[in-house]
Amino acid sequence: MFTSPGPEIISWPITIRWYGVLIAAGALIGLHLATREADRRGLDADALTTATLVAMLVGFVCARAYYVAFNWDVYASRPADIPAIWKGGIAIHGGLIGGITAGVVYMRWWRRLPVAPYLDVAAPSLALAQAIGRWGNFFNSEAYGRPTDLPWKLYIPPERRVPGFEAYDFFHPTFLYESLWNLGVFLVLWFGLRRRLAPRPGALFLCYLGLYSVGRFFIEGLRLDSLMAGGLRAAQVVSLVLVVVSAVGLLVLLRQRPPRTTPAAGPDTAGRARARR
C-alpha cells in the first residue's frame, strides 16, 4: 500500500504544488534531452527550444480547455475555477493535440524548417516528460483505477474518491501504470529505434504516437474518472485514432525509398563544425 503525502510541497509564504513542479521538471528534462539530440543531428537547437516553449504554452491552455469542455456541467456553475490549473484537471490528449499543432505551425510557417526531423527529436522526450509528469496525479490523489487489493494498491482519501466508490479505500494506481508504460516507450524509442529510423524522418514520432496510445487505451479501461464522450471513454477513442494514424503513416513511410542524406544532416556534423572553430 502507498498513499500521497498531499499536493503541496510548501504552503507558506507561497504555495508550491508537486503537480506543477513535476510537470515543469518533466518538460525541462525532456527539452534538455531533445536539444542535445538536435545538436547531434545537426538541427537547429535554438529553433527547437523556441518551438517547445510555444508548444508548452499552447499545450497547457488546450489541455485545460479539453478537460473543462468534458466537465462543463461542473465548471458552468463555477467559471472562476476554469483557469485553476494548479488544482489539477488537465487532459494530456488536449495538450498533445494543441501543443504539437502549435509547434508544427511555428517550425513550418514561421521558421520554414522541415518538421519531421524535429518531431523525431522530440518524440523520446515527450514520452519521458509524460512519465515524470504523471506523478503529479499521485500527489493530487487522482487518475486512479478500480478498487483492488493488490500489494501495490493506492490509498485514496475519502474526499478524493469517485462518487459510488466511497466505501472502498484502495484502488489501482493507474497513474503509475501509465508512468511506467511511458518510461518503457522512452527506452524503446531512445535505445532501440532512434538510430535505426533516422533515415526515415517522421517514423520515430509515429512510433511514439502508436506505442503511447496502445498503453493508454488499455490503462484507461481501468480508470474511474475517465472523460466521457457519450457512452465512450474519450481517451480510448482518441487513442484508437492515433494508433490508426501511426500504423498507416508508418506503412507509407516504410514503403518509400529513404531520402538521401547529406553530410550537413549527419549526426556528427555539428560537433565537427564546432571543433574546426
Side-chain angles (χ1 to χ4, degrees), residues 127-152:
L128 182 59
Q130 288 174 249
I132 297 170
R134 267 299 172 195
W135 280 87
N137 300 131
F138 165 65
F139 289 98
N140 278 357
S141 295
E142 61 189 7
Y144 54 87
R146 297 194 295 262
T148 184
D149 285 324
L150 291 170
W152 52 86

Side-chain angles (χ1 to χ4, degrees), residues 1-6 22 134-146 148-158 160-161 168-180:
M1 178 192 102
F2 62 109
T3 183
S4 166
L22 286 164
R134 267 299 172 195
W135 280 87
N137 300 131
F138 165 65
F139 289 98
N140 278 357
S141 295
E142 61 189 7
Y144 54 87
R146 297 194 295 262
T148 184
D149 285 324
L150 291 170
W152 52 86
K153 59 192 176 185
L154 173 66
Y155 176 77
I156 297 295
R160 299 295 297 170
R161 293 173 193 169
Y168 297 92
D169 293 327
F170 305 108
F171 300 82
H172 277 283
T174 48
F175 83 89
L176 175 62
Y177 301 161
E178 189 168 338
S179 178
L180 292 175

Side-chain angles (χ1 to χ4, degrees), residues 64 67-68 71-83 87:
R64 182 61 173 175
Y67 181 86
V68 169
N71 289 281
W72 185 245
D73 55 332
V74 175
Y75 289 98
S77 60
R78 51 184 198 192
D81 282 348
I82 291 177
K87 296 181 180 180

